[in-house]
């Protein structure tokens, strides 16, 4: 196996927190998924833009090959597969320095410094998380036996759509695809090996993988290569313990600890002479507990989690039944140690889908969405026969009705399926995965200084979506390639570009098309006239006059905002479904205050209902009050460029949700006052008046309207300008408040 120094998922915290110093380079601040590793990484932002809150898989390796062999060329021969094939961004550099932080128990933190031709990576954390650090690297550096180590850093975006995170159970039917074939499909992010069905209470543990192999004669050790192959593709392979049939039982807390030791030594990162699956190190343990007792599973979880300190993170997952709380592992889930929980919404009529999703939605919203776990998955059967007591959801109904209702929840992780055998019969995972899968796609840039650009797209078998704003001057290259790609696919499949039908027609949807420069519009027009074929191109824009060169080729479809009456009808429909008494006058007030924004109206309805008993003349909440309170709290707690940067990202989120500048400014001032003594309110009001002046017409932020000229006639640009004024207000307030705090401290020290 390749000598990985680090292999984990990282989450971007900040980008260029101290300002952008180079046009094509960004400094990324990130943390490992469990928060134990910190890193700063310089990347070519033109080739590979990274954004806060995005998740990436990051690997540090001395080789690009899984066997650890040396790389003799920068680019391996085409016939030779390498790690680079599985990643989007690869850099080669030198590990030139390592430092230590010592505590009472020895080295508690190690920092590695790596240079990639001027770009830098600094990674810090416990020595156990730098997998090869403990193998003599420290001694070699201290003794100056080595002055630098050649390393590759590899990055791949971990992105998802409603169903992109799919977990599958494998192992209970010999007629299903092999483990390596399962991972080769690219459909699954997690594979649960089912099951270790005998363990605990002094029993000899036994794994049962049905017809795949016979562990009694060491017949399953051959799976080791399959497991490693899956992991090299980014698939987490997890051992599922328990199951619906078996003999498992934890007799005591000590028994639970002994089971944890067995699992560590035989399936995870420990050592044993009798590892049933060979030398492959699994990624974690899945608790599919459906019998025995509900005792000591929390002890087992804590004991397994503790092994993460010894090296590779041990992921913990669970598959509880949807009636809440789960009868077997309900207590264990409260430890907060589980990374992924795939709840079984099948074979449980009270909370499963039965023609409509009301029972499922209630269980998800009222209970499972709020448990202390990393991500929650919707567990489903992959075929009707997979769940004799029901719960199967046809793929089209899952995609159109169920997933949209739950996928916006922060902890939603994806879908779990039982099982690979049934999925092979129905193709269920492929049906739901194909619904708007988000991914990063590389586009070749002919004749440009850089050879290619990575762009995030969302696509299915019938369409592809792309946001123009991320193309950064290379619009015509990307759009033309999309157009030609679809045309080329059509001609290749039919042999006749005139034969267009439902099967070979695909839509290309371009957002913010009014941001396209004239040069790009003219070139795209020429391409569209030349490559007619079966493409359906949708140019989505706020101002159709900005894409005038394309008007002769397009049909203009204007989407009008909903009227107050239409919004009221929607609110009444929701109220009826939820059993809420919504006064007609209140519904009309919410509709008017939303300014024809249906999403905001629904949010206001929900926030107002949660805050008060609904009455005709009560105050309307927007649903953004808590966000504003948090921003005000951030302003008071810390006054620094980094804090201002963090607040800017929160304001950007409000912009994206069409929250009005007037509301933000007024609410921010109100929340700031709540955090300050009343004697300071006058200064806040003075700042507010300075940055919120009105012109004669009463429009806010108009004191620079003349100098902005026509730019502020554009509603979008005007909104951006308004938010800039709010940011200026926050920066000025921070400066004033910090100065006041420092002055008060100096005064206090003098008097004492």
């Amino acid at each position: 196996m390749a000598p990985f120094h680090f292999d984990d998922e990282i989450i971007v915290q900040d980008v260029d927190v101290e300002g952008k110093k180079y046009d094509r380079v960004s400094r990324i601040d990130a943390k490992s998924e469990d928060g134990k590793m910190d890193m700063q990484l310089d990347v070519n932002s033109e080739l590979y833009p990274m954004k806060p809150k995005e998740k990436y898989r990051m690997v540090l390796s001395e080789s690009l090959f899984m066997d650890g062999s040396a790389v003799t060329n920068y680019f391996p021969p085409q016939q030779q597969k390498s790690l680079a094939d599985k990643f989007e961004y690869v850099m080669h550099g030198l590990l030139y320095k390592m430092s230590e932080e010592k505590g009472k128990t020895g080295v508690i933190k190690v920092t590695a410094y790596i240079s990639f031709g001027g770009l830098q990576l600094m990674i810090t954390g416990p020595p156990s998380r730098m997998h090869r650090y403990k193998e003599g690297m420290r001694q070699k550096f201290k003794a100056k036996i080595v002055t630098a180590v050649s390393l590759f850093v590899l990055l791949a975006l971990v992105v998802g759509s409603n169903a992109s995170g799919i977990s599958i159970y494998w192992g209970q039917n010999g007629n299903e695809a092999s483990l390596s074939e399962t991972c080769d499909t690219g459909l699954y992010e997690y594979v649960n090996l089912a099951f270790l069905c005998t363990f605990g209470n002094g029993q000899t543990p036994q794994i049962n993988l049905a017809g795949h192999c016979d562990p009694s004669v060491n017949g399953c050790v051959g799976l080791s290569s399959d497991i490693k192959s899956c992991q090299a593709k980014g698939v987490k392979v997890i051992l599922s313990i328990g199951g619906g049939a078996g003999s498992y039982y934890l007799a005591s807390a000590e028994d639970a600890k002994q089971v944890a030791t067995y699992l560590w030594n035989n399936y995870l990162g420990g050592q044993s002479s009798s590892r049933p699956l060979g030398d492959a190190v699994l990624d974690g343990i899945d608790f599919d507990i459906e019998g025995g007792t509900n005792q000591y599973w929390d002890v087992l979880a804590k004991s397994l989690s503790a092994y993460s300190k010894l090296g590779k993170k041990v992921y913990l997952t669970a598959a509880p039944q949807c009636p809440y709380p789960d009868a077997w592992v309900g207590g264990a889930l409260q430890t907060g140690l589980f990374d992924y929980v795939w709840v079984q919404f099948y074979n449980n009529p009270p909370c499963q889908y039965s023609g409509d999703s009301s029972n499922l939605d209630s269980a998800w919203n009222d209970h499972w969405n709020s448990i202390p776990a990393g991500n929650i998955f919707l567990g489903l059967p992959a075929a009707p026969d997979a769940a004799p007591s029901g719960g199967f959801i046809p793929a089209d109904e899952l995609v159109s009705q169920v997933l949209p209702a739950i996928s916006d929840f922060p902890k939603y992780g994806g879908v779990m399926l039982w099982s690979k055998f049934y999925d092979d019969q129905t193709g269920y995972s492929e049906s739901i995965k194909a619904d708007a899968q988000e991914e990063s796609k590389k586009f070749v840039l002919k004749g440009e200084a850089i050879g290619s650009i990575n762009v995030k797209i969302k696509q299915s078998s019938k369409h592809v979506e792309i946001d123009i704003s991320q193309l950064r001057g290379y619009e015509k290259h990307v759009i033309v390639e999309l157009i030609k790609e679809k045309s080329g696919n059509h001609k290749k499949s039919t042999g006749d570009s005139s034969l267009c039908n439902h099967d070979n027609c695909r839509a290309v949807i371009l957002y913010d098309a009014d941001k396209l420069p004239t040069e790009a519009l003219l070139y795209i027009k020429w391409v569209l006239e030349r490559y007619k074929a079966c493409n359906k191109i949708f140019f989505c824009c706020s101002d159709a006059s900005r894409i005038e060169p394309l008007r002769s080729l397009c049909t203009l479809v204007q989407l009008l905002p909903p009227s107050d009456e239409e919004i009221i009808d929607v609110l009444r429909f929701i109220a009826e479904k939820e059993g809420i008494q919504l006064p007609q006058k209140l519904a009309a007030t919410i509709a008017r205050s939303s300014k024809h924004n249906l999403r905001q109206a629904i949010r206001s309805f929900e926030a107002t209902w949660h805050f008060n008993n609904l009455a005709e003349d009560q105050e309307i909440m927007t649903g953004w009050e808590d966000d504003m309170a948090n921003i005000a709290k951030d302003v008071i707690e810390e006054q620094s460029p980094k804090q201002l940067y963090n607040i800017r990202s929160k304001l950007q989120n409000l912009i994206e949700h069409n929250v009005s500048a007037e509301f933000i400014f007024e609410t921010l001032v109100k929340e700031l006052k709540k955090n300050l003594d009343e004697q300071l309110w006058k200064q806040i009001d003075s700042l507010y008046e300075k940055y919120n002046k009105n012109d004669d017409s009463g429009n806010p932020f108009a004191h620079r309207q003349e100098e902005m000229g026509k730019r502020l006639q554009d509603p979008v640009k005007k909104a951006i300008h308004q938010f800039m004024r709010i940011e200026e207000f926050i920066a000025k307030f921070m400066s004033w408040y910090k100065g006041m705090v420092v002055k008060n401290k100096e005064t206090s020290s003098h008097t004492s």
Side-chain angles (χ1 to χ4, degrees):
M1 188 171 184
F4 291 172
H5 288 259
F6 180 79
D7 181 7
D8 206 344
E9 291 181 356
I10 65 171
I11 300 174
V12 177
Q13 306 296 309
D14 287 302
V15 178
D16 293 322
V17 67
E18 296 180 358
K20 193 169 181 66
K21 299 181 179 180
Y22 302 99
D23 290 340
R24 298 183 180 182
V25 177
S26 285
R27 174 152 291 179
I28 308 300
D29 288 281
K31 285 183 176 290
S32 61
E33 194 172 26
D34 62 3
K36 295 181 179 180
M37 301 293 294
D38 293 281
M39 58 214 71
Q40 279 193 336
L41 172 65
D42 295 336
V43 298
N44 186 322
S45 54
E46 193 168 38
L47 290 175
Y48 201 66
M50 300 171 72
K51 297 180 180 179
K53 298 184 181 180
E54 288 181 335
K55 183 187 294 186
Y56 293 81
R57 183 188 177 199
M58 178 176 170
V59 167
L60 293 177
S61 175
E62 291 181 40
S63 174
L64 289 179
F65 304 118
M66 292 306 297
D67 61 3
S69 59
V71 178
T72 56
N73 299 303
Y74 279 106
F75 299 99
Q78 290 185 354
Q79 67 272 19
Q80 188 173 7
K81 293 184 177 181
S82 76
L83 284 173
D85 299 330
K86 307 299 180 184
F87 290 82
E88 300 164 338
Y89 186 81
V90 181
M91 291 195 296
H92 177 252
L94 294 175
L95 170 64
Y96 65 90
K97 179 182 177 182
M98 298 190 80
S99 62
E100 299 173 344
E101 179 181 326
K102 294 184 178 180
K104 294 181 180 180
T105 58
V107 178
I108 59 174
K109 184 180 292 185
V110 61
T111 301
Y113 301 85
I114 307 166
S115 175
F116 305 94
L119 303 184
Q120 299 288 318
L121 167 63
M122 181 181 71
I123 181 168
T124 302
S128 61
R129 298 300 304 279
M130 296 288 285
H131 305 322
R132 290 175 57 82
Y133 175 78
K134 58 187 177 183
E135 296 179 18
M137 189 67 68
R138 174 172 60 93
Q139 290 81 359
K140 290 181 180 180
F141 266 92
K142 291 185 71 173
K144 297 186 178 179
I145 297 174
V146 296
T147 57
V149 176
S150 176
L151 278 181
F152 293 90
V153 61
L154 304 98
L155 291 169
L157 180 66
V158 180
V159 293
S161 64
N162 282 352
S164 66
I166 297 183
S167 173
I168 193 77
Y169 277 85
W170 177 91
Q172 283 302 291
N173 194 304
N175 294 319
E176 65 195 355
S178 70
L179 182 57
S180 62
E181 291 170 343
T182 297
C183 296
D184 285 343
T185 64
L187 294 171
Y188 315 108
E189 281 65 39
Y190 315 90
V191 175
N192 301 293
L193 307 183
F195 293 103
L196 183 76
C197 57
T198 301
F199 61 88
N201 197 27
Q203 301 178 91
T204 300
Q206 294 181 16
I207 189 172
N208 180 353
L209 296 178
H212 289 285
C213 57
D214 184 356
S216 65
V217 293
N218 287 331
C220 296
V221 294
L223 287 175
S224 181
S225 60
D226 283 12
I227 294 169
K228 294 175 183 178
S229 174
C230 290
Q231 292 171 330
K233 295 177 174 65
V235 179
K236 288 183 172 60
V237 185
I238 298 167
L239 175 65
S240 185
I241 64 174
S247 174
Y248 49 89
Y249 181 91
L250 297 179
S252 64
E254 183 59 31
D255 189 24
K257 295 176 182 178
Q258 291 177 4
V259 170
T261 300
Y262 169 82
L263 292 171
W264 169 254
N265 288 329
N266 288 273
Y267 293 97
L268 300 170
Q271 299 292 325
S272 172
S273 60
S274 58
R275 292 174 66 94
L277 302 180
D279 63 354
V281 177
L282 298 181
D283 293 287
I285 301 297
D286 173 57
F287 289 47
D288 185 7
I289 308 304
E290 302 180 33
T293 75
N294 60 6
Q295 298 294 306
Y296 310 116
W297 299 112
D298 57 335
V299 178
L300 179 59
K302 293 174 183 177
S303 300
L304 287 169
S305 179
Y307 281 115
S308 292
K309 299 177 182 178
L310 301 182
K312 182 178 179 180
K313 174 179 169 60
V314 177
Y315 285 88
L316 296 183
T317 72
Q321 309 292 312
C322 61
Y324 185 87
D326 180 75
W328 310 109
V329 294
L333 291 175
Q334 295 305 313
T335 62
L337 296 173
F338 286 83
D339 300 284
Y340 310 109
V341 177
W342 10 86
V343 185
Q344 298 184 47
F345 284 92
Y346 55 94
N347 290 332
N348 287 291
C351 48
Q352 69 190 23
Y353 183 89
S354 302
D356 69 74
S357 60
S358 56
N359 290 341
L360 186 155
D361 290 343
S362 295
W364 181 279
N365 297 338
D366 297 343
H367 302 298
W368 291 108
N369 178 61
S370 59
I371 66 170
N375 291 112
I376 315 301
F377 284 64
L378 178 67
L380 298 173
D385 291 343
S389 298
F392 176 75
I393 306 176
D396 58 340
E397 295 179 26
L398 176 69
V399 169
S400 63
Q401 300 178 32
V402 180
L403 292 183
I406 66 173
S407 59
D408 285 339
F409 284 90
K411 290 187 177 181
Y412 172 79
V415 174
M416 176 274 282
L417 295 177
W418 174 268
S419 64
K420 178 55 179 168
F421 170 75
Y422 291 105
D423 195 30
D424 286 344
Q425 312 306 308
T426 63
Y428 193 81
S429 62
E430 187 171 8
S431 298
I432 62 175
K433 186 101 173 182
D435 178 63
Q437 181 181 357
E438 187 174 319
E439 60 186 64
S440 181
K441 180 178 175 63
K442 180 183 289 186
F443 291 88
V444 176
L445 304 176
K446 295 181 180 179
E448 298 288 353
I450 62 174
S452 62
I453 181 176
N454 284 290
V455 178
K456 294 182 181 67
I457 65 172
K458 185 178 287 187
Q459 67 175 341
S460 70
S461 59
K462 297 298 181 184
H463 87 296
V464 58
E465 302 174 38
I466 191 166
D467 190 339
I468 298 295
S469 61
Q470 61 176 314
L471 303 185
R472 305 187 310 279
Y474 301 110
E475 295 89 353
K476 70 178 184 180
H477 294 277
V478 174
I479 295 171
V480 169
E481 185 172 332
L482 285 172
I483 294 171
K484 289 184 175 181
E485 177 183 279
K486 306 310 163 202
S487 298
N489 288 347
H490 165 64
K491 291 177 181 178
K492 183 177 179 180
S493 62
T494 66
D496 184 351
S497 62
S498 65
L499 298 178
C500 293
N501 55 56
H502 178 74
D503 294 329
N504 59 37
C505 181
R506 199 176 191 202
V508 179
I509 302 171
L510 307 173
Y511 295 111
D512 288 333
D514 41 1
K515 295 181 180 179
L516 286 167
T518 303
E519 177 191 1
L521 288 170
L522 293 172
Y523 188 73
I524 291 168
K525 178 184 179 183
W526 178 80
V527 172
L528 286 174
E529 290 173 335
R530 182 180 178 187
Y531 293 89
K532 294 201 184 264
C534 295
N535 302 302
K536 301 296 180 185
I537 317 297
F538 294 82
F539 297 92
C540 303
C541 58
S542 300
D543 185 356
S545 67
R546 304 252 178 132
I547 57 171
E548 188 62 35
L550 300 175
R551 289 287 295 272
S552 61
L553 301 177
C554 299
T555 299
L556 179 62
V557 178
Q558 187 174 7
L559 302 178
L560 298 175
S563 65
D564 286 352
E565 290 74 18
E566 290 171 326
I567 292 177
I568 292 171
D569 288 341
V570 172
L571 297 179
R572 292 176 64 183
F573 174 80
I574 294 173
E576 182 179 346
K577 287 292 184 180
E578 296 293 333
I580 300 172
Q581 294 294 324
L582 176 62
Q584 179 67 20
K585 184 177 179 180
L586 181 61
T589 304
I590 293 174
R592 286 195 303 274
S593 65
S594 72
K595 298 181 179 178
H596 304 289
N597 185 325
L598 178 58
R599 179 179 296 178
Q600 180 57 51
I602 295 173
R603 186 182 182 95
S604 292
F605 175 30
E606 181 181 13
T608 304
W609 175 63
H610 280 297
F611 191 77
N612 292 308
N613 293 321
L614 297 183
E616 287 191 348
D617 298 320
Q618 72 179 61
E619 179 184 359
I620 303 297
M621 309 296 291
T622 66
W624 298 104
E625 285 80 6
D626 288 344
D627 298 75
M628 295 310 306
N630 289 331
I631 290 176
K633 184 179 178 182
D634 291 342
V635 172
I636 296 296
E637 287 183 348
E638 179 184 341
Q639 301 82 43
S640 67
K642 181 178 180 179
Q643 186 75 306
L644 185 61
Y645 181 87
N646 292 334
I647 292 172
R648 181 187 298 140
S649 67
K650 294 181 180 181
L651 290 175
Q652 181 64 37
N653 179 60
L654 297 174
I655 293 174
E656 293 172 356
H657 287 85
N658 298 315
V659 182
S660 73
E662 292 90 341
F663 166 79
I664 292 175
F665 215 158
E666 292 173 1
T667 309
L668 176 61
V669 170
K670 185 186 301 182
E671 293 296 333
L672 287 173
K673 287 182 176 180
K674 290 181 181 179
N675 289 274
L676 297 175
D677 293 336
E678 189 172 347
Q679 61 186 12
L680 300 176
W681 289 6
K682 186 176 181 180
Q683 288 92 327
I684 297 178
D685 289 335
S686 177
L687 274 178
Y688 175 65
E689 291 175 5
K690 178 179 178 181
Y691 289 93
N692 188 39
K693 289 182 179 179
N694 293 344
D695 63 5
D696 294 337
S697 64
N699 292 325
F701 312 96
H703 58 297
R704 292 189 181 180
Q705 184 112 354
E706 290 184 4
E707 66 185 70
M708 296 300 292
K710 293 183 178 180
R711 290 176 60 190
L712 289 188
Q713 300 305 313
D714 183 334
V716 176
K717 290 184 178 179
K718 183 175 181 179
I720 293 174
H721 177 65
Q722 291 172 342
F723 279 94
M724 289 173 61
R725 301 297 293 159
I726 295 174
E727 188 176 331
E728 289 179 30
F729 166 81
I730 294 174
K732 189 69 175 178
F733 176 88
M734 282 183 164
S735 176
W736 166 76
Y737 184 72
K738 186 174 184 179
M740 184 191 67
V741 171
V742 171
K743 184 177 180 180
N744 289 343
K745 286 183 179 179
E746 291 176 350
T747 302
S748 177
S749 62
H750 288 317
T751 56
S752 60

